[in-house]
Amino acid sequence: METSAENEVQAVIDAFKDGVENRDIEVVGSVIVHDPNIVFYGSQASDKRVGWDHIITSFQEQFEDTDDIQSEVLDSTISIVGDVAWAAYDLRYSEEGASESSTFESRWSCVLQREPDGWKMVHMHHSLGR
């Protein structure tokens, strides 16, 4: 049985996924805490973004370089203790750009914190493989 908090966290994750697929920077920004100390890791060794300004710039660059982004959730879990939640996902991710297209499976995890205006992502990690 899902709790209200689990439904709220799932809604944030769904909004983030939809924001990325629609390349909508405002939606992506609405579910991430705007803090200079948050960290998002990507799948490449050099793919570490620290702070809201660097993270949002990274998403803007990704959205400018792609024509279509799709993701299919293959497996997922959400856990919550108090005002902290974490989620793990296996995804099939497809991205089309001007010069190339790629489809790959990936692992994605995030940490969320309950803020006065709702749950927000405070950390993310994305890696290739499943």
PDB file of all heavy atoms in Angstrom, residues 3-6 8-9 78-86 112-115 119:
ATOM      1  N   THR A   3       1.838   5.138   0.503  1.00  0.00           N
ATOM      2  CA  THR A   3       1.460   6.211   1.404  1.00  0.00           C
ATOM      3  C   THR A   3       1.313   7.507   0.620  1.00  0.00           C
ATOM      4  O   THR A   3       1.736   7.611  -0.535  1.00  0.00           O
ATOM      5  CB  THR A   3       2.527   6.400   2.494  1.00  0.00           C
ATOM      6  OG1 THR A   3       3.735   6.877   1.877  1.00  0.00           O
ATOM      7  CG2 THR A   3       2.785   5.105   3.259  1.00  0.00           C
ATOM      8  N   SER A   4       0.777   8.511   1.271  1.00  0.00           N
ATOM      9  CA  SER A   4       0.651   9.829   0.655  1.00  0.00           C
ATOM     10  C   SER A   4       2.033  10.380   0.292  1.00  0.00           C
ATOM     11  O   SER A   4       2.211  10.933  -0.788  1.00  0.00           O
ATOM     12  CB  SER A   4      -0.063  10.775   1.622  1.00  0.00           C
ATOM     13  OG  SER A   4      -0.071  12.084   1.123  1.00  0.00           O
ATOM     14  N   ALA A   5       3.005  10.202   1.175  1.00  0.00           N
ATOM     15  CA  ALA A   5       4.366  10.683   0.902  1.00  0.00           C
ATOM     16  C   ALA A   5       4.958   9.971  -0.310  1.00  0.00           C
ATOM     17  O   ALA A   5       5.605  10.605  -1.151  1.00  0.00           O
ATOM     18  CB  ALA A   5       5.252  10.505   2.125  1.00  0.00           C
ATOM     19  N   GLU A   6       4.731   8.657  -0.430  1.00  0.00           N
ATOM     20  CA  GLU A   6       5.240   7.932  -1.599  1.00  0.00           C
ATOM     21  C   GLU A   6       4.598   8.448  -2.882  1.00  0.00           C
ATOM     22  O   GLU A   6       5.276   8.598  -3.908  1.00  0.00           O
ATOM     23  CB  GLU A   6       4.990   6.430  -1.445  1.00  0.00           C
ATOM     24  CG  GLU A   6       5.874   5.779  -0.417  1.00  0.00           C
ATOM     25  CD  GLU A   6       5.497   4.335  -0.129  1.00  0.00           C
ATOM     26  OE1 GLU A   6       4.382   3.898  -0.500  1.00  0.00           O
ATOM     27  OE2 GLU A   6       6.319   3.659   0.482  1.00  0.00           O
ATOM     28  N   GLU A   8       3.506  11.493  -3.345  1.00  0.00           N
ATOM     29  CA  GLU A   8       4.086  12.821  -3.582  1.00  0.00           C
ATOM     30  C   GLU A   8       5.478  12.710  -4.199  1.00  0.00           C
ATOM     31  O   GLU A   8       5.813  13.438  -5.130  1.00  0.00           O
ATOM     32  CB  GLU A   8       4.154  13.604  -2.274  1.00  0.00           C
ATOM     33  CG  GLU A   8       2.794  13.982  -1.719  1.00  0.00           C
ATOM     34  CD  GLU A   8       2.864  14.501  -0.286  1.00  0.00           C
ATOM     35  OE1 GLU A   8       3.978  14.716   0.239  1.00  0.00           O
ATOM     36  OE2 GLU A   8       1.785  14.676   0.314  1.00  0.00           O
ATOM     37  N   VAL A   9       6.299  11.812  -3.664  1.00  0.00           N
ATOM     38  CA  VAL A   9       7.646  11.607  -4.212  1.00  0.00           C
ATOM     39  C   VAL A   9       7.549  11.090  -5.638  1.00  0.00           C
ATOM     40  O   VAL A   9       8.263  11.566  -6.528  1.00  0.00           O
ATOM     41  CB  VAL A   9       8.469  10.663  -3.312  1.00  0.00           C
ATOM     42  CG1 VAL A   9       9.745  10.206  -4.001  1.00  0.00           C
ATOM     43  CG2 VAL A   9       8.790  11.339  -1.988  1.00  0.00           C
ATOM     44  N   ILE A  78      11.082   3.200  -4.181  1.00  0.00           N
ATOM     45  CA  ILE A  78      11.074   4.459  -3.433  1.00  0.00           C
ATOM     46  C   ILE A  78      11.063   4.104  -1.958  1.00  0.00           C
ATOM     47  O   ILE A  78      10.289   3.248  -1.533  1.00  0.00           O
ATOM     48  CB  ILE A  78       9.848   5.328  -3.762  1.00  0.00           C
ATOM     49  CG1 ILE A  78       9.892   5.793  -5.215  1.00  0.00           C
ATOM     50  CG2 ILE A  78       9.752   6.525  -2.815  1.00  0.00           C
ATOM     51  CD1 ILE A  78       8.643   6.546  -5.658  1.00  0.00           C
ATOM     52  N   SER A  79      11.925   4.772  -1.187  1.00  0.00           N
ATOM     53  CA  SER A  79      11.954   4.603   0.264  1.00  0.00           C
ATOM     54  C   SER A  79      11.910   5.971   0.912  1.00  0.00           C
ATOM     55  O   SER A  79      12.477   6.935   0.381  1.00  0.00           O
ATOM     56  CB  SER A  79      13.227   3.873   0.695  1.00  0.00           C
ATOM     57  OG  SER A  79      13.287   2.591   0.110  1.00  0.00           O
ATOM     58  N   ILE A  80      11.243   6.059   2.062  1.00  0.00           N
ATOM     59  CA  ILE A  80      11.095   7.340   2.751  1.00  0.00           C
ATOM     60  C   ILE A  80      11.284   7.123   4.245  1.00  0.00           C
ATOM     61  O   ILE A  80      10.724   6.187   4.820  1.00  0.00           O
ATOM     62  CB  ILE A  80       9.699   7.948   2.501  1.00  0.00           C
ATOM     63  CG1 ILE A  80       9.471   8.162   1.004  1.00  0.00           C
ATOM     64  CG2 ILE A  80       9.536   9.254   3.281  1.00  0.00           C
ATOM     65  CD1 ILE A  80       8.041   8.532   0.648  1.00  0.00           C
ATOM     66  N   VAL A  81      12.074   8.010   4.850  1.00  0.00           N
ATOM     67  CA  VAL A  81      12.197   8.067   6.299  1.00  0.00           C
ATOM     68  C   VAL A  81      12.094   9.538   6.682  1.00  0.00           C
ATOM     69  O   VAL A  81      12.953  10.348   6.313  1.00  0.00           O
ATOM     70  CB  VAL A  81      13.533   7.470   6.802  1.00  0.00           C
ATOM     71  CG1 VAL A  81      13.665   7.671   8.305  1.00  0.00           C
ATOM     72  CG2 VAL A  81      13.632   5.985   6.448  1.00  0.00           C
ATOM     73  N   GLY A  82      11.025   9.902   7.353  1.00  0.00           N
ATOM     74  CA  GLY A  82      10.824  11.291   7.754  1.00  0.00           C
ATOM     75  C   GLY A  82      10.726  12.210   6.560  1.00  0.00           C
ATOM     76  O   GLY A  82       9.898  12.002   5.667  1.00  0.00           O
ATOM     77  N   ASP A  83      11.610  13.209   6.525  1.00  0.00           N
ATOM     78  CA  ASP A  83      11.602  14.213   5.457  1.00  0.00           C
ATOM     79  C   ASP A  83      12.631  13.943   4.375  1.00  0.00           C
ATOM     80  O   ASP A  83      12.981  14.832   3.594  1.00  0.00           O
ATOM     81  CB  ASP A  83      11.833  15.604   6.050  1.00  0.00           C
ATOM     82  CG  ASP A  83      10.645  16.077   6.869  1.00  0.00           C
ATOM     83  OD1 ASP A  83       9.522  15.591   6.627  1.00  0.00           O
ATOM     84  OD2 ASP A  83      10.828  16.936   7.755  1.00  0.00           O
ATOM     85  N   VAL A  84      13.153  12.704   4.311  1.00  0.00           N
ATOM     86  CA  VAL A  84      14.132  12.321   3.290  1.00  0.00           C
ATOM     87  C   VAL A  84      13.610  11.094   2.550  1.00  0.00           C
ATOM     88  O   VAL A  84      13.099  10.157   3.156  1.00  0.00           O
ATOM     89  CB  VAL A  84      15.512  12.018   3.921  1.00  0.00           C
ATOM     90  CG1 VAL A  84      16.494  11.517   2.868  1.00  0.00           C
ATOM     91  CG2 VAL A  84      16.066  13.248   4.622  1.00  0.00           C
ATOM     92  N   ALA A  85      13.751  11.107   1.243  1.00  0.00           N
ATOM     93  CA  ALA A  85      13.340   9.983   0.404  1.00  0.00           C
ATOM     94  C   ALA A  85      14.455   9.672  -0.576  1.00  0.00           C
ATOM     95  O   ALA A  85      15.234  10.562  -0.951  1.00  0.00           O
ATOM     96  CB  ALA A  85      12.060  10.328  -0.358  1.00  0.00           C
ATOM     97  N   TRP A  86      14.521   8.430  -1.000  1.00  0.00           N
ATOM     98  CA  TRP A  86      15.465   8.057  -2.044  1.00  0.00           C
ATOM     99  C   TRP A  86      14.764   7.095  -2.988  1.00  0.00           C
ATOM    100  O   TRP A  86      13.882   6.339  -2.599  1.00  0.00           O
ATOM    101  CB  TRP A  86      16.757   7.467  -1.478  1.00  0.00           C
ATOM    102  CG  TRP A  86      16.585   6.304  -0.558  1.00  0.00           C
ATOM    103  CD1 TRP A  86      16.679   4.977  -0.874  1.00  0.00           C
ATOM    104  CD2 TRP A  86      16.264   6.350   0.837  1.00  0.00           C
ATOM    105  NE1 TRP A  86      16.434   4.202   0.237  1.00  0.00           N
ATOM    106  CE2 TRP A  86      16.195   5.027   1.301  1.00  0.00           C
ATOM    107  CE3 TRP A  86      16.035   7.388   1.751  1.00  0.00           C
ATOM    108  CZ2 TRP A  86      15.901   4.698   2.629  1.00  0.00           C
ATOM    109  CZ3 TRP A  86      15.745   7.058   3.069  1.00  0.00           C
ATOM    110  CH2 TRP A  86      15.687   5.741   3.491  1.00  0.00           C
ATOM    111  N   LEU A 112      15.660  12.898  -2.259  1.00  0.00           N
ATOM    112  CA  LEU A 112      14.742  14.032  -2.179  1.00  0.00           C
ATOM    113  C   LEU A 112      14.579  14.436  -0.726  1.00  0.00           C
ATOM    114  O   LEU A 112      14.729  13.617   0.181  1.00  0.00           O
ATOM    115  CB  LEU A 112      13.375  13.662  -2.747  1.00  0.00           C
ATOM    116  CG  LEU A 112      13.333  13.251  -4.209  1.00  0.00           C
ATOM    117  CD1 LEU A 112      13.454  11.742  -4.342  1.00  0.00           C
ATOM    118  CD2 LEU A 112      12.069  13.722  -4.861  1.00  0.00           C
ATOM    119  N   GLN A 113      14.277  15.699  -0.550  1.00  0.00           N
ATOM    120  CA  GLN A 113      14.045  16.239   0.785  1.00  0.00           C
ATOM    121  C   GLN A 113      12.715  16.984   0.774  1.00  0.00           C
ATOM    122  O   GLN A 113      12.401  17.688  -0.182  1.00  0.00           O
ATOM    123  CB  GLN A 113      15.178  17.199   1.132  1.00  0.00           C
ATOM    124  CG  GLN A 113      15.060  17.871   2.470  1.00  0.00           C
ATOM    125  CD  GLN A 113      16.301  18.689   2.749  1.00  0.00           C
ATOM    126  OE1 GLN A 113      17.391  18.169   2.817  1.00  0.00           O
ATOM    127  NE2 GLN A 113      16.118  19.992   2.883  1.00  0.00           N
ATOM    128  N   ARG A 114      11.951  16.818   1.853  1.00  0.00           N
ATOM    129  CA  ARG A 114      10.685  17.547   1.945  1.00  0.00           C
ATOM    130  C   ARG A 114      10.986  18.997   2.309  1.00  0.00           C
ATOM    131  O   ARG A 114      11.566  19.282   3.350  1.00  0.00           O
ATOM    132  CB  ARG A 114       9.768  16.919   2.985  1.00  0.00           C
ATOM    133  CG  ARG A 114       8.351  17.483   2.925  1.00  0.00           C
ATOM    134  CD  ARG A 114       7.434  17.007   4.041  1.00  0.00           C
ATOM    135  NE  ARG A 114       7.662  15.680   4.526  1.00  0.00           N
ATOM    136  CZ  ARG A 114       6.856  14.636   4.313  1.00  0.00           C
ATOM    137  NH1 ARG A 114       5.764  14.785   3.598  1.00  0.00           N
ATOM    138  NH2 ARG A 114       7.133  13.449   4.824  1.00  0.00           N
ATOM    139  N   GLU A 115      10.614  19.897   1.444  1.00  0.00           N
ATOM    140  CA  GLU A 115      10.787  21.332   1.631  1.00  0.00           C
ATOM    141  C   GLU A 115       9.420  21.938   1.973  1.00  0.00           C
ATOM    142  O   GLU A 115       8.394  21.274   1.796  1.00  0.00           O
ATOM    143  CB  GLU A 115      11.333  21.961   0.345  1.00  0.00           C
ATOM    144  CG  GLU A 115      12.703  21.463  -0.076  1.00  0.00           C
ATOM    145  CD  GLU A 115      13.799  22.024   0.789  1.00  0.00           C
ATOM    146  OE1 GLU A 115      13.767  23.224   1.108  1.00  0.00           O
ATOM    147  OE2 GLU A 115      14.706  21.246   1.169  1.00  0.00           O
ATOM    148  N   TRP A 119       8.297  18.129  -1.991  1.00  0.00           N
ATOM    149  CA  TRP A 119       9.511  17.350  -2.158  1.00  0.00           C
ATOM    150  C   TRP A 119      10.360  17.915  -3.289  1.00  0.00           C
ATOM    151  O   TRP A 119       9.822  18.292  -4.337  1.00  0.00           O
ATOM    152  CB  TRP A 119       9.155  15.901  -2.466  1.00  0.00           C
ATOM    153  CG  TRP A 119       8.550  15.177  -1.322  1.00  0.00           C
ATOM    154  CD1 TRP A 119       7.221  15.044  -1.047  1.00  0.00           C
ATOM    155  CD2 TRP A 119       9.245  14.496  -0.278  1.00  0.00           C
ATOM    156  NE1 TRP A 119       7.043  14.305   0.109  1.00  0.00           N
ATOM    157  CE2 TRP A 119       8.284  13.954   0.600  1.00  0.00           C
ATOM    158  CE3 TRP A 119      10.593  14.285   0.002  1.00  0.00           C
ATOM    159  CZ2 TRP A 119       8.621  13.216   1.723  1.00  0.00           C
ATOM    160  CZ3 TRP A 119      10.925  13.539   1.124  1.00  0.00           C
ATOM    161  CH2 TRP A 119       9.957  13.018   1.968  1.00  0.00           C
TER     162      TRP A 119
END
